[in-house]
Short mmCIF file of all heavy atoms in Angstrom, two decimals:
data_model
loop_
_atom_site.label_atom_id
_atom_site.label_comp_id
_atom_site.label_asym_id
_atom_site.label_seq_id
_atom_site.Cartn_x
_atom_site.Cartn_y
_atom_site.Cartn_z
N PHE A 133 113.16 241.16 91.37
CA PHE A 133 113.11 241.57 92.77
C PHE A 133 113.17 243.09 92.82
O PHE A 133 113.80 243.73 91.97
CB PHE A 133 114.27 240.98 93.56
CG PHE A 133 114.28 239.48 93.61
CD1 PHE A 133 115.00 238.75 92.68
CD2 PHE A 133 113.55 238.80 94.57
CE1 PHE A 133 115.01 237.37 92.70
CE2 PHE A 133 113.55 237.41 94.61
CZ PHE A 133 114.28 236.70 93.67
N ALA A 134 112.51 243.67 93.82
CA ALA A 134 112.47 245.13 93.94
C ALA A 134 112.59 245.54 95.40
O ALA A 134 112.18 244.81 96.31
CB ALA A 134 111.19 245.69 93.33
N TYR A 135 113.15 246.71 95.58
CA TYR A 135 113.22 247.33 96.91
C TYR A 135 112.54 248.69 96.81
O TYR A 135 112.84 249.48 95.90
CB TYR A 135 114.68 247.50 97.35
CG TYR A 135 114.83 248.40 98.57
CD1 TYR A 135 114.56 247.91 99.85
CD2 TYR A 135 115.24 249.72 98.44
CE1 TYR A 135 114.70 248.73 100.96
CE2 TYR A 135 115.39 250.54 99.54
CZ TYR A 135 115.11 250.04 100.80
OH TYR A 135 115.25 250.85 101.90
N SER A 136 111.64 248.97 97.72
CA SER A 136 110.91 250.24 97.71
C SER A 136 110.98 250.90 99.08
O SER A 136 111.08 250.23 100.11
CB SER A 136 109.45 250.01 97.30
OG SER A 136 108.86 248.97 98.08
N ARG A 137 110.89 252.23 99.06
CA ARG A 137 111.04 252.98 100.31
C ARG A 137 110.22 254.26 100.25
O ARG A 137 110.17 254.94 99.22
CB ARG A 137 112.51 253.32 100.55
CG ARG A 137 112.76 254.07 101.86
CD ARG A 137 114.22 254.39 102.06
NE ARG A 137 114.43 255.13 103.30
CZ ARG A 137 114.63 254.57 104.49
NH1 ARG A 137 114.66 253.25 104.59
NH2 ARG A 137 114.80 255.30 105.58
N ILE A 138 109.60 254.59 101.38
CA ILE A 138 108.90 255.86 101.52
C ILE A 138 109.92 256.96 101.75
O ILE A 138 110.75 256.87 102.66
CB ILE A 138 107.89 255.81 102.67
CG1 ILE A 138 106.73 254.85 102.33
CG2 ILE A 138 107.34 257.19 102.99
CD1 ILE A 138 105.71 254.70 103.43
N LEU A 139 109.87 258.01 100.93
CA LEU A 139 110.80 259.13 101.05
C LEU A 139 110.19 260.33 101.77
O LEU A 139 110.92 261.21 102.24
CB LEU A 139 111.28 259.54 99.66
CG LEU A 139 111.97 258.44 98.84
CD1 LEU A 139 112.37 258.96 97.47
CD2 LEU A 139 113.18 257.89 99.58
N SER A 140 108.88 260.38 101.81
CA SER A 140 108.17 261.41 102.57
C SER A 140 106.80 260.85 102.92
O SER A 140 106.49 259.69 102.60
CB SER A 140 108.05 262.71 101.77
OG SER A 140 107.12 262.57 100.71
N GLU A 141 105.95 261.65 103.54
CA GLU A 141 104.63 261.16 103.92
C GLU A 141 103.77 260.80 102.72
O GLU A 141 102.83 260.01 102.84
CB GLU A 141 103.91 262.21 104.77
CG GLU A 141 104.51 262.42 106.14
CD GLU A 141 103.70 263.41 106.96
OE1 GLU A 141 102.71 263.96 106.42
OE2 GLU A 141 104.05 263.63 108.14
N THR A 142 104.09 261.35 101.56
CA THR A 142 103.23 261.16 100.38
C THR A 142 103.97 260.59 99.18
O THR A 142 103.35 260.39 98.12
CB THR A 142 102.60 262.51 99.96
OG1 THR A 142 103.66 263.44 99.66
CG2 THR A 142 101.73 263.07 101.07
N PHE A 143 105.25 260.30 99.30
CA PHE A 143 106.05 259.95 98.12
C PHE A 143 106.95 258.76 98.42
O PHE A 143 107.54 258.66 99.50
CB PHE A 143 106.89 261.16 97.70
CG PHE A 143 107.67 260.95 96.43
CD1 PHE A 143 107.04 260.91 95.20
CD2 PHE A 143 109.05 260.80 96.48
CE1 PHE A 143 107.76 260.73 94.03
CE2 PHE A 143 109.78 260.62 95.32
CZ PHE A 143 109.14 260.58 94.09
N SER A 144 107.05 257.85 97.44
CA SER A 144 107.92 256.67 97.57
C SER A 144 108.59 256.38 96.25
O SER A 144 108.18 256.86 95.19
CB SER A 144 107.12 255.45 98.04
OG SER A 144 106.13 255.11 97.07
N ALA A 145 109.65 255.58 96.31
CA ALA A 145 110.41 255.21 95.11
C ALA A 145 110.83 253.76 95.21
O ALA A 145 110.86 253.17 96.31
CB ALA A 145 111.63 256.11 94.94
N SER A 146 111.16 253.18 94.06
CA SER A 146 111.53 251.77 94.03
C SER A 146 112.54 251.52 92.91
O SER A 146 112.51 252.19 91.87
CB SER A 146 110.30 250.89 93.81
OG SER A 146 110.66 249.53 93.61
N VAL A 147 113.42 250.54 93.14
CA VAL A 147 114.32 250.06 92.10
C VAL A 147 114.18 248.54 92.06
O VAL A 147 113.95 247.89 93.09
CB VAL A 147 115.79 250.46 92.35
CG1 VAL A 147 115.96 251.96 92.22
CG2 VAL A 147 116.25 249.98 93.73
N GLY A 148 114.31 247.97 90.87
CA GLY A 148 114.17 246.53 90.73
C GLY A 148 115.12 245.98 89.69
O GLY A 148 115.60 246.70 88.81
N LEU A 149 115.39 244.69 89.79
CA LEU A 149 116.24 243.97 88.85
C LEU A 149 115.48 242.77 88.31
O LEU A 149 114.71 242.12 89.04
CB LEU A 149 117.54 243.53 89.50
CG LEU A 149 118.49 244.63 89.99
CD1 LEU A 149 119.68 244.01 90.73
CD2 LEU A 149 118.98 245.46 88.81
N ARG A 150 115.71 242.44 87.04
CA ARG A 150 114.97 241.36 86.39
C ARG A 150 115.90 240.51 85.53
O ARG A 150 116.74 241.05 84.79
CB ARG A 150 113.84 241.94 85.54
CG ARG A 150 113.03 240.90 84.76
CD ARG A 150 111.81 241.51 84.11
NE ARG A 150 110.89 242.02 85.14
CZ ARG A 150 110.72 243.32 85.39
NH1 ARG A 150 111.37 244.23 84.65
NH2 ARG A 150 109.90 243.70 86.34
N PHE A 151 115.75 239.19 85.64
CA PHE A 151 116.42 238.25 84.74
C PHE A 151 115.39 237.67 83.80
O PHE A 151 114.32 237.22 84.23
CB PHE A 151 117.11 237.14 85.52
CG PHE A 151 117.61 236.02 84.65
CD1 PHE A 151 118.71 236.19 83.82
CD2 PHE A 151 116.95 234.79 84.62
CE1 PHE A 151 119.16 235.16 83.01
CE2 PHE A 151 117.39 233.76 83.82
CZ PHE A 151 118.51 233.95 83.00
N ILE A 152 115.69 237.65 82.51
CA ILE A 152 114.76 237.21 81.48
C ILE A 152 115.38 236.05 80.71
O ILE A 152 116.54 236.12 80.28
CB ILE A 152 114.44 238.37 80.51
CG1 ILE A 152 113.87 239.57 81.28
CG2 ILE A 152 113.47 237.92 79.43
CD1 ILE A 152 113.93 240.87 80.50
N HIS A 153 114.60 235.01 80.53
CA HIS A 153 115.03 233.85 79.75
C HIS A 153 113.93 233.50 78.75
O HIS A 153 112.77 233.36 79.12
CB HIS A 153 115.32 232.65 80.65
CG HIS A 153 115.73 231.42 79.91
ND1 HIS A 153 117.05 231.16 79.56
CD2 HIS A 153 115.00 230.38 79.43
CE1 HIS A 153 117.11 230.00 78.91
NE2 HIS A 153 115.88 229.51 78.81
N SER A 154 114.31 233.34 77.49
CA SER A 154 113.33 233.02 76.45
C SER A 154 113.87 231.88 75.59
O SER A 154 114.93 232.00 74.97
CB SER A 154 113.07 234.26 75.58
OG SER A 154 112.14 233.96 74.55
N ASP A 155 113.13 230.80 75.56
CA ASP A 155 113.49 229.63 74.75
C ASP A 155 112.31 229.31 73.84
O ASP A 155 111.38 228.61 74.21
CB ASP A 155 113.81 228.44 75.64
CG ASP A 155 114.30 227.23 74.85
OD1 ASP A 155 114.34 227.32 73.61
OD2 ASP A 155 114.64 226.21 75.47
N LEU A 156 112.36 229.85 72.62
CA LEU A 156 111.28 229.67 71.66
C LEU A 156 111.66 228.73 70.53
O LEU A 156 111.05 228.75 69.46
CB LEU A 156 110.86 231.03 71.08
CG LEU A 156 110.32 232.04 72.10
CD1 LEU A 156 109.96 233.35 71.40
CD2 LEU A 156 109.13 231.49 72.84
N GLN A 157 112.65 227.91 70.74
CA GLN A 157 113.06 226.96 69.70
C GLN A 157 111.95 225.95 69.44
O GLN A 157 111.43 225.33 70.36
CB GLN A 157 114.34 226.24 70.12
CG GLN A 157 114.92 225.34 69.04
CD GLN A 157 116.21 224.68 69.48
OE1 GLN A 157 116.48 224.57 70.67
NE2 GLN A 157 117.01 224.24 68.54
N TYR A 158 111.57 225.80 68.18
CA TYR A 158 110.51 224.86 67.83
C TYR A 158 110.98 223.80 66.84
O TYR A 158 110.20 222.98 66.38
CB TYR A 158 109.31 225.61 67.24
CG TYR A 158 109.61 226.42 66.01
CD1 TYR A 158 109.54 225.88 64.74
CD2 TYR A 158 109.97 227.76 66.12
CE1 TYR A 158 109.82 226.62 63.62
CE2 TYR A 158 110.26 228.51 65.00
CZ TYR A 158 110.17 227.94 63.75
OH TYR A 158 110.46 228.69 62.65
N ASN A 159 112.26 223.79 66.53
CA ASN A 159 112.82 222.79 65.62
C ASN A 159 114.31 222.66 65.93
O ASN A 159 115.06 223.62 65.82
CB ASN A 159 112.62 223.21 64.17
CG ASN A 159 112.97 222.09 63.19
OD1 ASN A 159 113.80 221.23 63.49
ND2 ASN A 159 112.34 222.11 62.03
N TYR A 160 114.73 221.48 66.35
CA TYR A 160 116.12 221.29 66.74
C TYR A 160 117.09 221.49 65.56
O TYR A 160 118.29 221.67 65.75
CB TYR A 160 116.33 219.89 67.33
CG TYR A 160 115.76 219.74 68.71
CD1 TYR A 160 114.90 218.69 69.02
CD2 TYR A 160 116.05 220.66 69.71
CE1 TYR A 160 114.36 218.54 70.29
CE2 TYR A 160 115.53 220.53 70.99
CZ TYR A 160 114.69 219.47 71.26
OH TYR A 160 114.17 219.34 72.52
N ASP A 161 116.55 221.46 64.36
CA ASP A 161 117.40 221.66 63.19
C ASP A 161 117.63 223.14 62.89
O ASP A 161 118.49 223.48 62.09
CB ASP A 161 116.78 220.99 61.96
CG ASP A 161 116.68 219.48 62.13
OD1 ASP A 161 117.55 218.92 62.82
OD2 ASP A 161 115.72 218.88 61.59
N GLU A 162 116.84 224.02 63.51
CA GLU A 162 116.99 225.45 63.27
C GLU A 162 118.12 226.01 64.11
O GLU A 162 118.41 225.54 65.21
CB GLU A 162 115.68 226.18 63.60
CG GLU A 162 114.50 225.79 62.72
CD GLU A 162 114.64 226.33 61.32
OE1 GLU A 162 115.35 227.34 61.14
OE2 GLU A 162 114.06 225.72 60.39
N ASP A 163 118.77 227.05 63.59
CA ASP A 163 119.87 227.70 64.30
C ASP A 163 119.31 228.75 65.26
O ASP A 163 119.55 229.95 65.11
CB ASP A 163 120.84 228.33 63.30
CG ASP A 163 122.10 228.85 63.98
OD1 ASP A 163 122.38 228.39 65.09
OD2 ASP A 163 122.79 229.71 63.38
N ILE A 164 118.53 228.28 66.23
CA ILE A 164 117.91 229.15 67.21
C ILE A 164 118.35 228.71 68.60
O ILE A 164 118.30 227.52 68.92
CB ILE A 164 116.38 229.11 67.10
CG1 ILE A 164 115.92 229.58 65.73
CG2 ILE A 164 115.74 229.96 68.20
CD1 ILE A 164 114.44 229.42 65.49
N THR A 165 118.79 229.63 69.40
CA THR A 165 119.27 229.33 70.75
C THR A 165 118.45 230.12 71.76
O THR A 165 117.89 231.18 71.44
CB THR A 165 120.75 229.69 70.90
OG1 THR A 165 120.92 231.10 70.65
CG2 THR A 165 121.61 228.89 69.93
N PRO A 166 118.35 229.63 73.01
CA PRO A 166 117.66 230.41 74.03
C PRO A 166 118.35 231.75 74.25
O PRO A 166 119.57 231.87 74.12
CB PRO A 166 117.75 229.52 75.27
CG PRO A 166 117.97 228.14 74.74
CD PRO A 166 118.78 228.32 73.49
N GLY A 167 117.57 232.77 74.58
CA GLY A 167 118.11 234.09 74.83
C GLY A 167 117.95 234.51 76.27
O GLY A 167 116.98 234.11 76.94
N GLN A 168 118.90 235.28 76.78
CA GLN A 168 118.83 235.82 78.13
C GLN A 168 119.07 237.32 78.10
O GLN A 168 119.77 237.83 77.21
CB GLN A 168 119.87 235.16 79.06
CG GLN A 168 119.58 233.72 79.42
CD GLN A 168 120.13 232.74 78.42
OE1 GLN A 168 121.16 232.99 77.79
NE2 GLN A 168 119.46 231.60 78.24
N ALA A 169 118.51 238.00 79.06
CA ALA A 169 118.70 239.43 79.19
C ALA A 169 118.53 239.83 80.64
O ALA A 169 117.89 239.12 81.43
CB ALA A 169 117.71 240.20 78.31
N PHE A 170 119.12 240.96 80.99
CA PHE A 170 118.96 241.54 82.33
C PHE A 170 118.37 242.93 82.18
O PHE A 170 118.66 243.64 81.21
CB PHE A 170 120.31 241.62 83.06
CG PHE A 170 120.88 240.28 83.43
CD1 PHE A 170 121.72 239.60 82.57
CD2 PHE A 170 120.56 239.70 84.65
CE1 PHE A 170 122.25 238.36 82.90
CE2 PHE A 170 121.08 238.46 84.99
CZ PHE A 170 121.93 237.79 84.12
N ALA A 171 117.54 243.31 83.14
CA ALA A 171 116.87 244.60 83.05
C ALA A 171 116.66 245.17 84.44
O ALA A 171 116.73 244.46 85.45
CB ALA A 171 115.54 244.48 82.31
N ALA A 172 116.39 246.47 84.48
CA ALA A 172 116.12 247.16 85.73
C ALA A 172 114.85 247.98 85.59
O ALA A 172 114.47 248.39 84.49
CB ALA A 172 117.29 248.07 86.11
N ASP A 173 114.18 248.21 86.73
CA ASP A 173 112.98 249.05 86.80
C ASP A 173 113.23 250.20 87.77
O ASP A 173 113.89 250.02 88.81
CB ASP A 173 111.77 248.26 87.28
CG ASP A 173 111.38 247.13 86.35
OD1 ASP A 173 111.93 247.07 85.24
OD2 ASP A 173 110.53 246.31 86.74
N ILE A 174 112.67 251.35 87.45
CA ILE A 174 112.69 252.51 88.35
C ILE A 174 111.27 253.05 88.41
O ILE A 174 110.65 253.31 87.37
CB ILE A 174 113.65 253.61 87.85
CG1 ILE A 174 115.07 253.06 87.70
CG2 ILE A 174 113.65 254.80 88.82
CD1 ILE A 174 116.03 254.05 87.07
N SER A 175 110.74 253.21 89.62
CA SER A 175 109.35 253.64 89.75
C SER A 175 109.17 254.61 90.91
O SER A 175 109.96 254.62 91.87
CB SER A 175 108.42 252.44 89.92
OG SER A 175 108.78 251.68 91.05
N PHE A 176 108.11 255.42 90.80
CA PHE A 176 107.78 256.42 91.82
C PHE A 176 106.27 256.42 92.05
O PHE A 176 105.50 256.12 91.13
CB PHE A 176 108.24 257.82 91.39
CG PHE A 176 109.71 257.92 91.09
CD1 PHE A 176 110.18 257.78 89.79
CD2 PHE A 176 110.63 258.15 92.11
CE1 PHE A 176 111.52 257.86 89.50
CE2 PHE A 176 111.99 258.23 91.83
CZ PHE A 176 112.44 258.08 90.54
#
């Protein structure tokens, strides 16, 4: 999700948050677990 705002007639900025989930397990016998991460974006 992101929130963006115009700061002047020609310029804007945005911030965002991201939840990431990755489940690449291909063998139940392997010691592999799903992974999660959180991240942010900054843009102009």
Side-chain angles (χ1 to χ4, degrees):
F133 298 93
Y135 168 78
S136 50
R137 182 180 179 87
I138 292 178
L139 302 179
S140 72
E141 291 184 357
T142 59
F143 185 72
S144 62
S146 173
V147 293
L149 296 175
R150 177 172 296 107
F151 170 72
I152 303 162
H153 178 87
S154 179
D155 184 358
L156 299 179
Q157 185 178 22
Y158 59 88
N159 190 333
Y160 287 128
D161 297 328
E162 296 288 336
D163 188 20
I164 299 173
T165 60
Q168 289 87 32
F170 292 90
D173 297 351
I174 303 174
S175 58
F176 302 95

